[in-house]
Amino acid sequence: MRNSAKRGTGTILTAALVSLALLLAGCEAGGPAPSPPGSSATPGPSEPTLSAPANAAASVHFTTQGDIGVKKTSQHVLDTIADLKPQFNLALGDFTYKAGIEQQFCDMVKGKLGENFPYEVLTGNHESDGSDGDIANIVKCLPNKLPGIQGEYGTQWYVDVPETNPLVRFVMVSPGIDFQNQQHLDFSKGSDRWNWTTNAIDGATAAKIPWTVVGMHAPCLSVGKYDCKVGQDFATMLLEKKVDLVLTGHDHIYQRTHQLALGTACPALVPNELSPNCITDSDSSMAKGAGTVFVTVGVGGESLYDVNNNDSEAGYFTTWSGGNRDPAFGTLDVTATADQLSARLVPAKGYTFTDAFTIARY
C-alpha cells in the first residue's frame, strides 16, 4: 500500500496492519455470503433459498427424484433433500398415488423443505389422467418458484438457471404417459410438442448455455419393468441434440447409462437390444459433448421394483439398484458449474447404495 506523505515508521506500520486485518476479515473463507435479492437474511435450516449466481465461477445445485408417495420412506427422502440444502428440487412425477390427498402431499413437502422452497413439479402418469391424483391440484399447492419459466408448468416447461448468465437449461416434458381418456400428448416427430422441445434444446445451444438437462417421467431404456414409453424417435432425438443429461422416474429403480451417442455405426437408439457402438464412454468420468447420460431416479419413496440383471438393454447401463439388488430410496444430488456437471445418488436413512459421475469440459 503506497502513501505519498512522509510519516514515521511506526505510523505507517500500524496503518498497514489495520488495512491488512480488514482485508482478511472481508475475504475470510467460509464467511457469510450476501443474501440473494428478495431472500431472507437468515433462512431456517430446513428452508433452502434459491441463489442466483451471475458469473461463470458460480454453481447451480439441485436435487431430483420421482415416484414419491406419502409414506415414511417418502419423508426420509425429503429429509435427505433438506440436509443437502439444494437451491431447488425437480420432482419427476407420481406424487400421491391416491386421488384427493394432493394437499396432504404438498403439506408434507412444505413441512420438510419449507413453505418457500422451489419444489418444481412435472406430471407423472398417476396424476396426469386424474385417476390417482390431479396434476392441476399439485401445481396449485406447489406452484413454480423459479423465475423466467416458459411453457405450461407441470406438463411442458423449460427454465434457465440462473435467469441471468444461465449455467443450465432445464427442459421438462411429458411424452409417453396417459392423460384424460387414455390419450397421450402428441410428442411424435414433427408435432407441435416435438418442435417445442427441439426448439428449447436448440435455444440453449444457441445461447451458449453450458449444460442442457431434459426431465421426463418415463424412460426409454430400462432394466426395470417398463419399455420405451417415450418412443424411439424421441429418445434418438435427445442423442442427436447431444443433451447432456436426461432425468426420468416411472420405473421404481435407480439406473444410470453409459454415455451414449449417435454415429455412423449407431444411427438410432433401438430399444430392447444392445448396440455397443452407441456407447462412447463407459466409466464415471465423461467429457462434455461426447454423448448423453440417462438416469432413472424412481426411488423417491413410494416403493421399489425388481431389476433384471439379464435384460437385453443391461449393457447400456453402468449401474442399477432395485428391490432385489442393492435396494435404496434416495435422491440424485447434482451440481453444475461452467466447466463440470457432477452428480451422486444420496441414499435416504437406512440405505447404503450410492453412485457418482461427472461430465466435464476438457
Side-chain angles (χ1 to χ4, degrees):
M1 181 179 294
R2 293 182 178 272
N3 192 325
S4 59
K6 293 183 178 180
R7 299 178 180 176
T9 304
T11 303
I12 295 173
L13 179 60
T14 301
L17 289 173
V18 170
S19 298
L20 179 60
L22 290 173
L23 179 62
L24 290 174
C27 299
E28 182 181 359
S35 299
S39 68
S40 170
T42 56
S46 63
E47 192 167 347
T49 57
L50 175 66
S51 65
N55 57 64
S59 64
V60 171
H61 177 206
F62 68 97
T63 49
T64 184
Q65 67 299 126
D67 310 280
I68 298 146
V70 290
K71 298 182 175 181
K72 180 63 73 172
T73 45
S74 315
Q75 296 180 44
H76 287 165
V77 172
L78 290 170
D79 287 336
T80 303
I81 296 169
D83 289 343
L84 292 168
K85 294 181 172 58
Q87 296 166 335
F88 58 96
N89 182 81
L90 298 178
L92 301 169
D94 285 3
F95 302 118
T96 62
Y97 291 85
K98 182 179 179 181
I101 63 168
E102 293 91 337
Q103 189 62 54
Q104 178 185 341
F105 176 85
C106 295
D107 290 344
M108 176 185 73
V109 170
K110 293 176 182 178
K112 293 292 186 179
L113 301 179
E115 186 73 25
N116 296 316
F117 177 75
Y119 188 88
E120 304 294 301
V121 301
L122 177 72
T123 189
N125 58 289
H126 279 278
E127 56 275 339
S128 61
D129 63 1
S131 61
D132 293 322
D134 191 331
I135 185 59
N137 292 333
I138 295 292
V139 164
K140 187 180 298 182
C141 59
L142 289 170
N144 167 60
K145 288 184 168 64
L146 294 180
I149 192 170
Q150 302 290 320
E152 182 184 354
Y153 176 64
T155 302
Q156 177 181 312
W157 54 275
Y158 77 83
V159 68
D160 297 337
V161 182
E163 186 177 18
T164 303
N165 299 322
L167 292 172
V168 187
R169 173 165 290 185
F170 297 91
V171 182
M172 312 296 287
V173 289
S174 301
I177 61 174
D178 288 335
F179 283 76
Q180 296 294 334
N181 302 316
Q182 297 184 330
Q183 296 297 309
H184 289 345
L185 300 183
D186 185 6
F187 280 90
S188 62
K189 190 172 185 177
S191 67
D192 289 344
R193 292 182 185 273
W194 170 286
N195 292 335
W196 184 96
T197 306
T198 58
N199 288 339
I201 296 170
D202 289 343
T205 303
K208 294 182 168 40
I209 298 173
W211 305 100
T212 302
V213 175
V214 169
M216 51 192 188
H217 180 63
C220 180
L221 303 175
S222 184
V223 295
K225 65 184 291 186
Y226 293 116
D227 57 11
C228 185
K229 295 180 72 64
V230 302
Q232 177 181 329
D233 286 346
F234 196 88
T236 298
M237 178 271 289
L238 298 176
L239 294 184
E240 181 183 0
K241 297 295 182 182
K242 296 186 178 180
V243 169
D244 298 296
L245 179 63
V246 178
L247 302 168
T248 64
H250 195 49
D251 250 329
H252 296 193
I253 62 176
Y254 176 83
Q255 57 184 1
R256 171 171 63 91
T257 69
H258 303 303
Q259 198 172 30
L260 309 179
L262 302 181
T264 303
C266 176
L269 186 63
V270 181
N272 300 317
E273 64 179 57
L274 174 64
S275 177
N277 293 318
C278 297
I279 299 172
T280 57
D281 197 326
S282 58
D283 61 24
S284 296
S285 298
M286 294 163 279
K288 162 77 176 178
T292 300
V293 179
F294 294 80
V295 184
T296 298
V297 198
V299 291
E302 169 59 22
S303 61
L304 293 174
Y305 294 163
D306 287 348
V307 290
N308 179 7
N309 298 328
N310 299 313
D311 190 281
S312 59
E313 297 171 348
Y316 282 125
F317 290 89
T318 300
T319 188
W320 56 85
S321 161
N324 60 336
R325 172 176 165 170
D326 300 320
F329 294 104
T331 184
L332 194 69
D333 182 42
V334 186
T335 299
T337 67
D339 295 321
Q340 181 170 288
L341 186 151
S342 59
R344 59 183 180 134
L345 178 71
V346 180
K349 177 182 177 182
Y351 300 94
T352 59
F353 175 81
T354 188
D355 178 41
F357 64 95
T358 61
I359 307 172
R361 295 175 179 273
Y362 294 107

